[in-house]
């Protein structure tokens, strides 16, 4: 994500796009649904420099590079069937997880709360220039994709919701920074620290 945000400088754009694509594809070797984050790469190209056709080809070069290197390693290891088995993108709706009152309530409140704060952050940044707004759009997409991953993956011991913590913290930070009254800002800061701990301990108590 850092490489995509740094596209804002409009320097070494193709290198940064290639680098971001490489890391996403490497992550997908461990978790197949991580390829969804390639959407961020194409979104960043569209936002920062869409007119240069070569920029649109760079992600495909990155994908091809990782796949070819991986395939060569798999040939040496005698596991050429790994790609077909790994990138299955299987999804089974975990009805038990989402019908659980605690799980569904925490997820809905988290999404609504962060989305509301993010909306206010966008409104406050409206006068700050398109550069900051464009960056916030990428961060918002990162949050949305994290929620999609959470819905797609509800297995025990897997916590894709953690991917959304970075965009959530950015939204909260931008919103608190935009508050002009010091006393209200302090209250908002204390709540942003206290509420997550309270939800965590309530969850432990309910279990």
């Amino acid at each position: 994500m850092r490489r995509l945000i740094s596209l804002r400088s409009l320097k070494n754009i193709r290198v940064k796009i290639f680098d971001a694509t490489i890391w996403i594809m490497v992550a997908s070797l461990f978790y197949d649904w991580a390829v969804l984050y390639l959407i961020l790469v194409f979104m960043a190209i569209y936002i920062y420099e869409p007119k240069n056709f070569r920029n649109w080809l760079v992600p495909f070069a990155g994908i091809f590079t990782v796949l070819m290197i991986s395939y060569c390693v798999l040939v040496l290891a005698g596991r050429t069937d790994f790609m077909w088995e790994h990138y299955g993108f299987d999804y089974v709706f975990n009805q038990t997880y989402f019908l659980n009152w605690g799980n569904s309530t925490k997820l809905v409140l988290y999404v609504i709360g962060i989305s509301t704060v993010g909306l206010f952050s966008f409104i406050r940044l409206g006068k700050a220039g398109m550069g900051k707004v464009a960056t916030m759009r990428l961060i918002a997409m990162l949050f949305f994709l994290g929620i999609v991953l959470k819905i797609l993956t509800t297995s025990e011991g897997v916590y894709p919701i953690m991917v959304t913590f970075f965009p959530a913290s950015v939204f909260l930070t931008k919103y608190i920074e935009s508050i002009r009254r010091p006393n209200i800002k302090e209250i908002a800061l204390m709540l942003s620290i206290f509420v997550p701990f309270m939800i965590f301990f309530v969850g432990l108590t309910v279990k």
Side-chain angles (χ1 to χ4, degrees):
M1 188 62 193
R2 181 183 63 85
R3 298 298 280 172
L4 295 179
I5 293 176
S6 66
L7 288 176
R8 180 179 171 185
S9 65
L10 299 179
K11 297 179 180 179
N12 301 319
I13 288 181
R14 284 188 284 276
V15 173
K16 294 174 181 178
I17 294 172
F18 185 79
D19 192 20
T21 305
I22 290 289
W23 282 112
I24 292 172
M25 290 304 299
V26 169
S28 74
L29 294 175
F30 298 92
Y31 178 57
D32 55 350
W33 285 107
V35 296
L36 286 175
Y37 285 99
L38 288 173
I39 296 173
L40 283 175
V41 177
F42 290 101
M43 183 177 177
I45 297 172
Y46 178 77
I47 290 174
Y48 291 111
E49 196 176 5
K51 296 181 180 179
N52 192 330
F53 180 71
R54 288 177 293 180
N55 291 340
W56 295 97
L57 298 178
V58 173
F60 296 103
I63 295 171
F64 181 79
T65 300
V66 174
L67 291 180
M68 286 299 98
I69 294 175
S70 301
Y71 184 74
C72 291
V73 173
L74 292 172
V75 168
L76 294 175
R79 288 290 311 277
T80 53
D81 56 343
F82 172 81
M83 290 293 186
W84 295 105
E85 295 175 358
H86 179 68
Y87 290 102
F89 302 104
D90 297 324
Y91 171 67
V92 178
F93 181 73
N94 192 338
Q95 188 175 4
T96 304
Y97 179 87
F98 288 103
L99 289 180
N100 182 284
W101 183 85
N103 294 332
S104 57
T105 301
K106 286 189 290 186
L107 181 61
V108 170
L109 290 177
Y110 175 70
V111 173
I112 292 175
I114 298 302
S115 299
T116 303
V117 173
L119 180 61
F120 279 112
S121 299
F122 270 103
I123 294 174
R124 299 292 177 88
L125 283 173
K127 299 179 180 179
M130 287 302 297
K132 292 184 178 180
V133 174
T135 301
M136 289 293 286
R137 287 175 182 172
L138 283 177
I139 295 173
M141 179 57 72
L142 178 63
F143 177 78
F144 173 75
L145 290 175
I147 297 301
V148 172
L149 284 180
K150 175 60 181 176
I151 296 173
L152 293 174
T153 308
T154 54
S155 305
E156 292 292 334
V158 180
Y159 306 99
I161 194 69
M162 294 178 66
V163 179
T164 66
F165 290 172
F166 168 67
S169 63
V170 172
F171 289 150
L172 286 170
T173 302
K174 292 296 182 183
Y175 176 69
I176 292 174
E177 285 180 348
S178 66
I179 300 175
R180 296 181 179 179
R181 297 179 61 180
N183 54 342
I184 302 298
K185 181 179 291 188
E186 290 178 2
I187 293 173
L189 182 60
M190 287 188 291
L191 286 175
S192 66
I193 298 173
F194 174 73
V195 171
F197 283 103
M198 183 182 68
I199 294 175
F200 174 74
F201 287 116
V202 169
L204 291 179
T205 305
V206 171
K207 289 182 179 180

